[in-house]
Amino acid sequence: MEFRRITSLPPYVFTIIDSLKVEARRAGEDIIDLGFGNPDLPSPAIAVEKLAEAAHNERNHRYSASRGIPKLRQAAADYYKRRFNVDLDPDTEVINTIGAKEGFSHLMWTLVQPGDAALVPAPSYPIHIFGPIFAGADVREIPLGTGDEFFENMVQAWEYSHPKPRVIVLSFPHNPTTTCVDLAFMQRVVDFAREKEVVLVHDNAYADLGFDGYRPPSILQAEGAKEVAVELYSMTKSFSMAGWRVAFMVGNPQVVAALAKMKSYLDYGTFQPIQIAATVTLNELPDYPQEANAVYQVRRDALCSGLARIGWDMQPPMGTMFAWSPIPEPYKEMGSVEFCSLLVREAGVALSPGVGFGPGGEGNVRFALIENEQRINQAVRNLKRALPKLG
């Protein structure tokens, strides 16, 4: 049998490390998992209580609205007003998606088709690369670097692309590299997009995870952004609700309407009790994202200071729930998959190999801050033992 849509997909390299981790655990070994970015913080109690309460109401067992129930869209608009001082019309500028991955994938179906092109940062979260590819479009990678370097690289990629890209994908704070930008950067990108008449898609997955006083901006804070931009906001990290699959796409009303039309053929929305629980959580726990952020900052500090002590120096991230680092010099020649495999076997620590994030990722590894401070300190001790060439 031929499966044409997936034959071009490379092997999902993260499964190599995952298989080693599972194998080691079956053998009774304690593996400290800093690989898969799966938040470990429990979801807010009020979300769980409201979910259970709403699930007992049989009226909520029927099909829901694929756009999201009105009160949920209003709650998302209220969040944007509180957090970013951005005004959104909940009827025309907000749509609920079944997680940001679903929203992004179906948005690409809406925006591009075979013969079109999309500009995507490199390295990148895999769906940012493969979402446009699944829709049949060509992907042109923009080497990331700093915000200024990225902007210049983006302009250059635009100039040398044929056909001219219809979509530019952005995601800051960035996964995996943790690169952060300011509102002035967002304004430059919006001005460029308005001039070139290109759609901007900003995945703001880490909207509430900024450290040392840094507050990630929304692209919609830039003047004129709604003319060209949409943004994905997820409750996964900000509210520790990963498995609930609740996210929103907000911004340009024409793009929101187009995605709503596409989704009307594809789904009936998130299970309604989940939408009700998400609505109550957004409305009644406005400070929860700051609490989650404080936990991740403590973990970041433990990881970065611990690694520095053992001779593994890296730039502490300003945002996200990750840390991104070049493989230490004495082990550089191994490559990221081989290095991460060594760490599972010799240190009992699982990391994500950089090559899994596409072009520009090789030679790096990603740490996910999904274990508590004590476990992170244990991981550092294990790494020191397993990497004698450090320091």
Side-chain angles (χ1 to χ4, degrees):
M1 272 187 172
E2 187 187 2
F3 302 99
R4 285 177 299 198
R5 184 70 70 186
I6 63 169
T7 45
S8 62
L9 286 179
Y12 204 58
V13 298
F14 305 115
T15 58
I16 298 168
I17 306 306
D18 203 50
S19 300
L20 287 172
K21 180 179 74 183
V22 169
E23 205 177 294
R25 282 179 172 165
R26 280 185 186 146
E29 293 176 40
D30 176 29
I31 302 297
I32 301 171
D33 188 359
L34 304 178
F36 183 33
N38 194 359
D40 65 315
L41 303 181
S43 301
I46 195 170
V48 179
E49 288 158 15
K50 286 295 171 186
L51 172 66
E53 181 187 310
H56 282 292
N57 183 342
E58 60 191 37
R59 284 178 307 181
N60 291 326
H61 298 176
R62 306 170 74 182
Y63 292 135
S64 189
S66 67
R67 294 172 61 224
I69 58 176
K71 285 184 178 176
L72 178 58
R73 286 183 276 117
Q74 182 65 59
D78 292 344
Y79 164 85
Y80 261 75
K81 183 63 178 172
R82 267 195 325 268
R83 170 70 177 83
F84 300 115
N85 198 28
V86 167
D87 291 303
L88 292 170
D89 181 333
D91 290 326
T92 62
E93 296 175 334
V94 180
I95 184 170
N96 175 224
T97 65
I98 308 171
K101 248 183 166 181
E102 177 272 318
F104 181 84
S105 304
H106 289 150
L107 177 62
M108 291 301 112
W109 287 15
T110 309
L111 294 176
V112 293
Q113 62 184 15
D116 292 335
L119 294 183
V120 180
S124 211
Y125 184 53
I127 196 62
H128 293 163
I129 298 169
F130 291 104
I133 289 172
F134 290 150
D138 290 330
V139 165
R140 315 255 192 271
E141 284 98 5
I142 314 169
L144 201 61
T146 63
D148 284 342
E149 287 168 356
F150 177 81
F151 185 82
E152 299 307 327
N153 292 341
M154 182 190 77
V155 171
Q156 196 169 24
W158 170 271
E159 298 295 350
Y160 287 100
S161 283
H162 182 79
K164 290 300 179 212
R166 287 174 60 86
V167 170
I168 299 174
V169 176
L170 305 165
S171 185
F172 296 104
H174 184 256
N175 176 16
T177 69
T178 75
T179 301
C180 293
V181 298
D182 58 14
L183 184 53
F185 168 87
M186 293 298 197
Q187 189 65 61
R188 288 176 77 193
V189 175
V190 165
D191 292 344
F192 176 83
R194 290 169 74 191
E195 181 192 334
K196 304 297 185 186
E197 297 183 347
V198 60
V199 176
L200 300 173
V201 177
H202 183 235
D203 186 354
N204 201 4
Y206 308 97
D208 295 299
L209 297 187
F211 309 134
D212 306 324
Y214 171 69
R215 296 273 278 165
S218 163
I219 199 166
L220 298 182
Q221 289 173 277
E223 193 180 330
K226 282 190 199 174
E227 294 173 31
V228 290
V230 287
E231 182 163 84
L232 288 148
Y233 173 81
S234 167
M235 294 184 74
T236 290
K237 286 85 184 179
S238 298
F239 291 88
S240 301
M241 292 171 69
W244 300 62
R245 312 314 299 137
V246 181
F248 307 92
M249 191 188 80
V250 300
N252 181 277
Q254 288 82 21
V255 177
V256 169
L259 181 61
K261 185 174 183 180
M262 175 70 80
K263 279 174 65 63
S264 71
Y265 284 90
L266 293 168
D267 67 72
Y268 288 109
T270 303
F271 184 42
Q272 194 150 294
I274 290 177
Q275 294 192 52
I276 292 166
T279 303
V280 173
T281 302
L282 280 167
N283 288 339
E284 297 193 17
L285 291 183
D287 296 331
Y288 185 90
Q290 286 96 292
E291 294 170 29
N293 185 69
V295 171
Y296 286 117
Q297 173 145 2
V298 166
R299 293 178 179 185
R300 180 210 67 167
D301 293 345
L303 177 70
C304 294
S305 61
L307 290 176
R309 276 198 311 276
I310 66 169
W312 184 334
D313 288 314
M314 62 175 294
Q315 184 69 36
M318 282 175 62
T320 77
M321 54 182 288
F322 303 110
W324 176 254
S325 172
I327 297 170
E329 200 57 48
Y331 298 92
K332 200 91 178 167
E333 75 286 348
M334 292 181 80
S336 58
V337 173
E338 191 184 346
F339 181 67
C340 288
S341 301
L342 169 81
L343 296 185
V344 175
R345 288 194 305 267
E346 302 298 324
V349 175
L351 306 181
S352 293
V355 71
F357 299 98
E362 183 54 285
N364 298 277
V365 292
R366 190 193 72 177
F367 296 79
L369 304 173
I370 53 166
E371 297 263 17
N372 64 37
E373 202 179 344
Q374 291 71 32
R375 295 279 284 167
I376 288 171
N377 287 330
Q378 181 62 54
V380 170
R381 290 192 291 272
N382 292 5
L383 290 169
K384 182 181 181 183
R385 190 185 66 243
L387 300 172
K389 296 185 208 167
L390 281 185

